[in-house]
Amino acid sequence: MIPLDAFGSESVAEDLLQQVRWRDGVSCPRCRSDRTVRNGSYGHFQRYLCKDCDRTFNDKTGTIFAHSKIALRKWLFSIYAFLRFNTSLRQLRCEIAVTYKTIHRRVERFTEALDAPSLDLRGPVEIDEFYVSAGLSRRGRGTYEQDKPPVFVLVDRGTEQRHIVPAKSADESTIRLLLVDRQQEPLTVYTDGFRAYDPLEEAESFDREYVVHGDGEYADDTIHVNTCESHASLARRWLSPHRGISKDRLTQYFRAFQLRRELYRKPGREALKHAVKATL
């Protein structure tokens, strides 16, 4: 169920933030001390006093929600709608009645707070690439300089983790860098017939198997990149409402897409808590 109460009441929104942020106990965001006491309130928000550094703080201090004049419930709604329903920024602007510049700045602050994925590959690994332009997918290969950067999809069959990593080039050095953190050698890698993957065949640290789409080969028992292509299709769909994304912002938007996948089967309130936790 959609957590409507958190979007309709500032006190409920504040309580949700408090639960997520202080789940391991209250600590000072400046000196990290846990020697804190309640010290009045700051609007709807609980204020605390740190006995070590003698400074006060509240539930929003040091978070992406700090120093905002927009109600917390509106920001929680924006995060939820952005992730759960892939709502465009222009639509969010209308829903919470703020300027486009304001919602754009806040959503970017949210995506910037998300952690980079950790690629500790167990294998076997599928790897494939696709290309995006102006926030929309187009057919064919391109380059970062042409504003059509490559985006790599890695599927670790050993852990069932899926990763999306924008890159500046689709060449051998980029591919080797993506595969550097691995638990096995040789690491089994499944690719298509793109020539940038060819050097993996000559490296002792990799066992490359591939299909050639140009010859009508798409799967040979376990050898395929179909999972990568499926995930890429979802990623293209994610980008489609967000027209005009700068190539420099693709990484942030794909991190949000990955977070969206984590929320997919969570109920509304748990999904919202998980999204907030990801920014802390």
Side-chain angles (χ1 to χ4, degrees):
M1 296 292 289
I2 299 174
L4 296 176
D5 56 341
F7 307 144
S9 167
E10 195 69 3
S11 61
V12 175
E14 189 277 335
D15 183 62
L16 186 144
L17 174 61
Q18 191 178 76
Q19 289 177 33
V20 175
R21 185 169 194 192
W22 310 126
R23 59 194 178 278
D24 297 322
V26 179
S27 60
C28 177
R30 296 183 177 90
C31 70
R32 306 302 178 187
S33 170
D34 59 0
R35 298 181 64 244
T36 63
V37 294
R38 292 175 178 265
N39 187 249
S41 61
Y42 178 78
H44 290 276
F45 299 89
Q46 177 64 53
R47 186 169 61 185
Y48 309 89
L49 172 67
C50 176
K51 289 188 174 183
D52 281 347
C53 66
D54 201 34
R55 300 182 70 175
T56 61
F57 60 95
N58 61 67
D59 294 323
K60 295 198 299 182
T61 303
T63 72
I64 64 171
F65 309 109
H67 310 299
S68 174
K69 295 181 180 179
I70 306 300
L72 177 64
R73 59 186 176 83
K74 291 187 175 184
W75 289 131
L76 294 185
F77 169 79
S78 298
I79 289 172
Y80 188 85
F82 176 68
L83 292 174
R84 186 70 109 185
F85 306 120
N86 199 15
T87 307
S88 71
L89 302 193
R90 295 191 182 278
Q91 184 62 39
L92 288 176
R93 176 199 64 180
C94 299
E95 296 294 340
I96 67 171
V98 298
T99 65
Y100 181 81
K101 181 179 180 180
T102 298
I103 191 64
H104 184 269
R105 182 168 59 245
R106 285 293 161 175
V107 169
E108 284 202 342
R109 191 172 179 184
F110 165 71
T111 57
E112 287 170 355
L114 301 178
D115 290 335
S118 175
L119 276 66
D120 186 15
L121 304 173
R122 182 184 302 174
V125 173
E126 292 179 38
I127 183 169
D128 197 16
E129 80 292 334
F130 66 100
Y131 299 80
V132 297
S133 179
L136 294 173
S137 301
R138 294 180 183 173
R139 301 184 72 85
R141 306 190 189 278
T143 65
Y144 188 86
E145 291 72 18
Q146 296 171 341
D147 291 332
K148 195 175 181 182
V151 179
F152 282 90
V153 182
L154 291 93
V155 175
D156 188 343
R157 295 187 186 176
T159 62
E160 298 185 353
Q161 293 293 313
R162 303 177 184 188
H163 308 282
I164 292 190
V165 185
K168 290 194 174 182
S169 61
D171 56 18
E172 178 190 353
S173 60
T174 300
I175 293 167
R176 286 183 178 272
L177 185 61
L178 290 171
L179 299 173
V180 70
D181 293 323
R182 53 187 181 268
Q183 298 182 19
Q184 294 183 6
E185 286 204 11
L187 177 68
T188 300
V189 182
Y190 299 130
T191 78
D192 60 14
F194 181 33
R195 62 181 179 275
Y197 300 116
D198 289 348
L200 296 180
E201 288 191 82
E202 303 172 3
E204 294 182 357
S205 52
F206 298 104
D207 179 14
R208 183 205 181 197
E209 301 283 351
Y210 64 97
V211 290
V212 182
H213 294 168
D215 294 341
E217 298 178 354
Y218 292 93
D220 182 2
D221 194 19
T222 61
I223 305 170
H224 62 77
V225 290
N226 294 344
T227 319
C228 285
E229 293 180 347
S230 174
H231 203 57
S233 177
L234 295 173
R236 295 173 194 269
R237 199 177 308 164
W238 161 257
L239 287 181
S240 61
H242 310 293
R243 297 175 182 271
I245 297 175
S246 165
K247 60 187 178 184
D248 299 323
R249 299 290 182 182
L250 278 176
T251 296
Q252 297 169 214
Y253 272 77
F254 280 128
R255 287 180 188 174
F257 167 72
Q258 294 293 87
L259 177 58
R260 181 174 189 259
R261 300 298 297 171
E262 294 175 22
L263 307 181
Y264 186 68
R265 297 191 181 278
K266 293 182 182 293
R269 183 170 294 276
E270 290 306 311
L272 180 58
K273 285 183 176 181
H274 188 88
V276 172
K277 180 181 176 181
T279 70
L280 299 177

